[in-house]
Amino acid sequence: QVQLQESGPGLVKPSETLSLTCTVSGGSISNYYWSWIRQPPGGGLEWIGYIYYSGSTIYNPSLKSRVTMSVDMSKNQFSLSLSSMTAADTAVYYCARGGTATYWNLGLWGRGTLVSVSS
Amino acid sequence: DIVMTQSPDSLAVSLGERATINCKSSQSVLYSANNKNSLAWYQQKPGQPPKLLIYWASTRESGVPDRFSGSGSGTDFTLTISSLQAEDVAVYYCQQYYGYSSTFGQGTKLEIK
């Protein structure tokens, strides 16, 4: 079955840029919306944004100035870049799959990866 | 941004009893194009990612037990578990997806009394 796996550094220094990748296995990245969501330790969920397989994106307005998403269909991966990291960005970062026509029905999630921001 | 506020923050219910979680949006999430409310519910168990339970406020995702139901319209929504089972212990989140952005409620922790 289709599975998602986040990968990237577990520790980032303040002011640096976080780069995460989500690898889709068991299925194609084509025709779907793909989202990133994060969850601070002990906290709630925050939607970061989505990318359609074609490359179109929508970002959370509160993070828009620092977020870039991209897709690599040849590798069946999509990525998140978040710049100017601070301690407030410490969180578990999840990638998730939406639908073929809608982004919000997040029916498939990765297990998440914890990213800590510290010097 | 549309702000989602859930109540209560935590809830303890006896096995077999009804559990009710509320979610209020800061503005209507009724999507005029299809007359449906852009509201979903997720369940998150410890150490796991969230699981989609309900979308369009009242449509159950495939495979979700029918003891889970959603209701409401406009700005006020409810998730009801008709007969609480031990495996329903989790944190529940509402999510609005009106327009091109999405926000979650702060979560409601559901425990067994």
Side-chain angles (χ1 to χ4, degrees):
Chain A
Q1 75 269 26
V2 181
Q3 293 185 316
L4 308 183
Q5 178 66 60
E6 304 89 350
S7 58
L11 181 64
V12 176
K13 289 183 168 56
S15 80
E16 290 189 341
T17 295
L18 170 68
S19 294
L20 294 176
T21 296
C22 183
T23 301
V24 181
S25 59
S28 175
I29 203 168
S30 296
N31 301 316
Y32 283 95
Y33 287 86
W34 304 93
S35 282
W36 288 96
I37 303 96
R38 68 181 183 178
Q39 184 171 37
L45 301 167
E46 181 177 30
W47 178 77
I48 299 172
Y50 74 71
I51 184 165
Y52 192 44
Y53 79 100
S54 62
S56 60
T57 55
I58 293 287
Y59 303 141
N60 184 325
S62 68
L63 298 169
K64 186 177 181 180
S65 64
R66 299 196 291 132
V67 172
T68 303
M69 294 182 186
S70 61
V71 63
D72 187 336
M73 294 187 66
S74 67
K75 294 182 179 179
N76 230 30
Q77 296 175 334
F78 62 102
S79 298
L80 167 70
S81 176
L82 184 63
S83 64
S84 304
M85 294 283 283
T86 71
D89 295 312
T90 294
V92 174
Y93 285 75
Y94 293 101
C95 58
R97 189 184 75 177
T100 55
T102 53
Y103 74 93
W104 44 261
N105 45 331
L106 304 172
L108 182 66
W109 294 62
R111 296 193 61 82
T113 186
L114 175 62
V115 177
S116 299
V117 182
S118 175
S119 55
Chain B
D1 275 5
I2 298 176
V3 177
M4 307 301 290
T5 304
Q6 294 182 224
S7 62
D9 288 333
S10 63
L11 179 64
V13 175
S14 301
L15 290 172
E17 295 299 305
R18 179 185 301 262
T20 301
I21 298 170
N22 301 302
C23 176
K24 188 175 184 66
S25 58
S26 60
Q27 67 184 71
S28 175
V29 296
L30 179 62
Y31 185 43
S32 57
N34 62 6
N35 201 38
K36 294 183 178 182
N37 291 277
S38 304
L39 192 284
W41 289 96
Y42 291 80
Q43 173 194 65
Q44 186 178 30
K45 297 182 179 180
Q48 296 184 19
K51 173 187 175 183
L52 177 63
L53 297 177
I54 287 169
Y55 56 94
W56 293 131
S58 61
T59 301
R60 264 190 306 276
E61 175 75 334
S62 177
V64 173
D66 60 6
R67 65 179 180 274
F68 291 91
S69 64
S71 62
S73 184
T75 61
D76 293 282
F77 301 91
T78 299
L79 173 69
T80 301
I81 307 172
S82 60
S83 177
L84 189 70
Q85 306 298 303
E87 62 264 31
D88 300 334
V89 169
V91 179
Y92 292 83
Y93 294 92
C94 60
Q95 173 209 20
Q96 69 78 21
Y97 46 89
Y98 186 80
Y100 293 102
S101 187
S102 179
T103 47
F104 291 89
Q106 82 277 16
T108 295
K109 186 174 184 179
L110 177 59
E111 299 173 312
I112 304 294
K113 184 186 292 184

